[in-house]
Amino acid sequence: TLFTKCRSQQVHLSSEIGLTEGPITSVALNVTAAATAVTFTDFTIRLKHTARTSYGVSSSDRIWETDGFTTVYQGNITVSTTGYYTFAFTTPFTYDGVSNLMVDYSYRIASPTTSNRPTVSGTDRGSTRSIKYYTSTTTYGEPLTWSGVSPPAFGESRIADIQLGMTTYHQLSPATTSAFTNGVWAGNLTLGSAADSVTVMARAKAVRSPARRASS
């Protein structure tokens, strides 16, 4: 919050993500200091698969990427409590289960402040795993539009500690029920593993329409 515009682009390796293929539905940042008086405008989170594992030492390698992102969250937020702050995605991101993940954060605030500054926890990964830039000028436009080497980004080996939420699908047992009686079936269902917020979905078999004979 020392500046009015900020953007950070961070690379998480697939080995750190530890998820299988499926829709990522949320990301949570671990807030270690809150900022109740600051409103972050157009706080935007974008995700995409990436072959990149780190950034080089040259400024020409610290590139603001623009293509291939899915905007999963955008809104105005105030962070009033510490602990994991969860951003529920308005658009889920379909993760392929094997690729590295690039997470792009950007926001604006009305005016700089040196007090009541928020912080989130992060881990030093040893190599340059993120780029960032912050400014209070209008020279480079809005953070969402930054591209290439404009503005010139700073390299950082630390990336945010995040928790990713994913919708997973499990096969119930039995996979097929016996016949319904008067529209009702009763029986025991077994889920392969423990899970939170379980929703059970049932699908009817296709019912064929009676064959029609052509008249002559």
Side-chain angles (χ1 to χ4, degrees):
T1 56
L2 290 174
F3 302 88
T4 58
K5 299 179 180 70
C6 182
R7 182 174 167 187
S8 177
Q9 194 172 276
Q10 307 184 9
V11 175
H12 296 263
L13 304 183
S14 59
S15 57
E16 299 162 348
I17 296 169
L19 295 177
T20 57
E21 179 182 359
I24 297 176
T25 55
S26 67
V27 63
L29 295 170
N30 185 19
V31 178
T32 52
T36 55
V38 179
T39 297
F40 297 90
T41 303
D42 287 338
F43 192 101
T44 304
I45 304 175
R46 297 182 290 184
L47 272 63
K48 76 171 184 174
H49 298 114
T50 181
R52 182 183 287 277
T53 58
S54 63
Y55 294 89
V57 296
S58 171
S59 59
S60 62
D61 185 54
R62 298 197 290 269
I63 298 172
W64 296 110
E65 299 189 25
T66 57
D67 296 332
F69 282 110
T70 298
T71 299
V72 294
Y73 180 90
Q74 188 172 64
N76 301 336
I77 64 168
T78 301
V79 183
S80 57
T81 59
T82 57
Y84 275 95
Y85 187 104
T86 300
F87 298 88
F89 293 170
T90 53
T91 302
F93 177 80
T94 304
Y95 181 58
D96 65 9
V98 295
S99 296
N100 302 329
L101 191 64
M102 181 175 288
V103 186
D104 185 283
Y105 307 92
S106 63
Y107 60 82
R108 293 179 286 111
I109 60 174
S111 58
T113 177
T114 58
S115 61
N116 197 29
R117 297 171 58 196
T119 57
V120 298
S121 68
T123 300
D124 191 321
R125 298 297 181 177
S127 59
T128 304
R129 294 278 292 280
S130 68
I131 58 175
K132 60 183 180 181
Y133 193 78
Y134 29 78
T135 181
S136 293
T137 71
T138 59
T139 304
Y140 300 106
E142 297 302 317
L144 281 172
T145 67
W146 296 349
S147 64
V149 294
S150 180
F154 306 107
E156 174 69 64
S157 59
R158 186 168 52 246
I159 56 175
D161 297 329
I162 62 174
Q163 290 182 345
L164 296 169
M166 173 176 277
T167 298
T168 55
Y169 298 95
H170 299 268
Q171 180 67 59
L172 293 172
S173 178
T176 303
T177 69
S178 55
F180 280 51
T181 303
N182 296 324
V184 177
W185 177 85
N188 296 323
L189 294 175
T190 301
L191 185 63
S193 60
D196 296 324
S197 303
V198 175
T199 300
V200 176
M201 293 183 293
R203 183 175 60 188
K205 287 185 176 181
V207 178
R208 293 184 178 181
S209 301
R212 294 182 179 180
R213 293 183 180 181
S215 59
S216 58

